[in-house]
């Protein structure tokens, strides 16, 4: 079964953190991670109610640690791109679609929720494997933080056991670095580089590559590089 952690990035209000712990436990989730949170006191404990254990056992991590230690990272956003030409928040998936994508993963998954006032920064979104958004009314699209967590937890509750292990963060970072080098060797234009790498991360991130598949991609690039270096 996927091992899912709920990650709150710089939450502003302790009450929301408490309510998040409570709704997580409602649906059987206990792994809460906090990135630079506000001070937590009696209000958070009161809002957590019988999920005080989830709140008190929450891990403290940095964004860098999240991307280094989790096999698959899902970033949530209320604002989505309007065109595939601006890929930072696209393609995006609903919570129900996310369930189908992660159901067969045997690995650790982090679901990132951003700040109550402005969500996740582009730098935090850029490295995510998958972008998730909750379909809401255009009349009032902004959800309370704990409500958004509750919707994702409801959709992801009682997932079946995973069937295969994913390539880990170190393996994926090595692949992306190899692709960067490969782009140099094929004279890929510098002005396109950032967008190209973002698109590659989006495509490969959501494909849930195994270790063997990563190795195969390395092999294909190495073979291509050999031919480029030895062409007549």
């Amino acid at each position: 079964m996927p091992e899912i952690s709920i990650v709150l990035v710089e939450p502003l209000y302790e009450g929301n953190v408490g309510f998040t712990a409570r709704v997580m436990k409602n649906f059987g989730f206990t792994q809460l991670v906090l990135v630079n949170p506000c001070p937590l006191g009696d209000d958070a404990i009161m809002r957590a109610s019988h999920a005080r254990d989830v709140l008190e056992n929450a891990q403290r991590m940095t964004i860098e640690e999240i991307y280094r230690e989790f096999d698959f990272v899902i970033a949530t956003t209320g604002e989505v791109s309007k065109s595939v030409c601006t890929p930072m928040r696209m393609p995006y998936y609903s919570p129900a679609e996310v369930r189908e994508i992660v159901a067969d993963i045997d690995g650790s998954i982090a679901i990132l929720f951003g700040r109550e006032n402005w969500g996740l920064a582009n730098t935090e979104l850029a490295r995510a494997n998958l972008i998730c958004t909750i379909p809401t009314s255009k009349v009032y699209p902004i959800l309370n933080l704990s409500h958004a967590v509750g919707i994702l937890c409801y959709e992801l509750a009682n997932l079946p056991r995973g069937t295969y292990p994913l390539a880990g963060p170190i393996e994926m970072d090595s692949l992306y670095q190899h692709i960067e080098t490969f782009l140099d060797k094929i004279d890929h234009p510098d002005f396109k580089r950032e967008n190209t790498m973002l698109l590659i991360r989006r495509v490969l991130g959501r494909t849930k590559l195994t270790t063997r598949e990563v190795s195969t991609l390395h092999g294909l690039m190495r073979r291509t590089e050999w031919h480029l270096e030895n062409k007549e």
Side-chain angles (χ1 to χ4, degrees), residues 9 15 17 27 40 44-45 83 100-101 103 105 126-127 131 139 142-143 161 167 169 184 186 207 215-216 228:
V9 179
V17 179
F27 294 106
L40 302 179
I45 293 171
S83 166
E100 296 301 314
I101 292 169
I105 290 176
R127 294 164 65 186
I131 302 297
V139 177
I142 305 303
L143 287 167
R161 183 168 297 279
D184 285 333
I186 62 172
T207 56
S215 177
T216 297
L228 289 173

Side-chain angles (χ1 to χ4, degrees), residues 7 30-31 33 48 50 56 66 70 90 97-98 108-109 123 138 173 183 195 198 211 216-217:
V7 181
T30 59
Q31 297 184 56
V33 179
H50 295 294
E56 292 181 341
I66 297 294
F70 284 87
M90 184 177 283
E97 290 171 323
V98 168
S108 59
I109 297 174
T123 53
K138 293 181 180 179
D173 282 344
L183 293 179
N195 215 38
L198 177 59
T211 300
T216 297
L217 290 174

Side-chain angles (χ1 to χ4, degrees), residues 69-186:
E69 298 186 19
F70 284 87
D71 297 319
F72 198 84
V73 177
I74 299 168
T76 62
T77 179
E79 179 184 348
V80 295
S81 300
K82 302 298 190 293
S83 166
V84 292
C85 295
T86 52
M88 182 59 70
R89 298 168 191 265
M90 184 177 283
Y92 51 85
Y93 298 86
S94 71
E97 290 171 323
V98 168
R99 178 187 174 88
E100 296 301 314
I101 292 169
V102 305
D104 57 359
I105 290 176
D106 184 10
S108 59
I109 297 174
I111 306 179
L112 272 57
F113 294 85
R115 306 152 187 84
E116 291 94 328
N117 56 352
W118 55 276
L120 293 169
N122 283 346
T123 53
E124 295 159 346
L125 285 163
R127 294 164 65 186
N129 296 91
L130 203 70
I131 302 297
C132 175
T133 192
I134 299 170
T136 53
S137 169
K138 293 181 180 179
V139 177
Y140 190 27
I142 305 303
L143 287 167
N144 173 271
L145 175 59
S146 64
H147 294 176
V149 172
I151 291 170
L152 264 294
C153 288
Y154 168 79
E155 289 289 355
L156 297 174
N158 302 310
L159 282 171
R161 183 168 297 279
T163 56
Y164 63 85
L166 293 179
I170 294 175
E171 293 162 313
M172 291 304 297
D173 282 344
S174 175
L175 177 61
Y176 294 137
Q177 289 169 15
H178 192 171
I179 292 172
E180 287 255 27
T181 303
F182 183 78
L183 293 179
D184 285 333
K185 292 183 177 180
I186 62 172

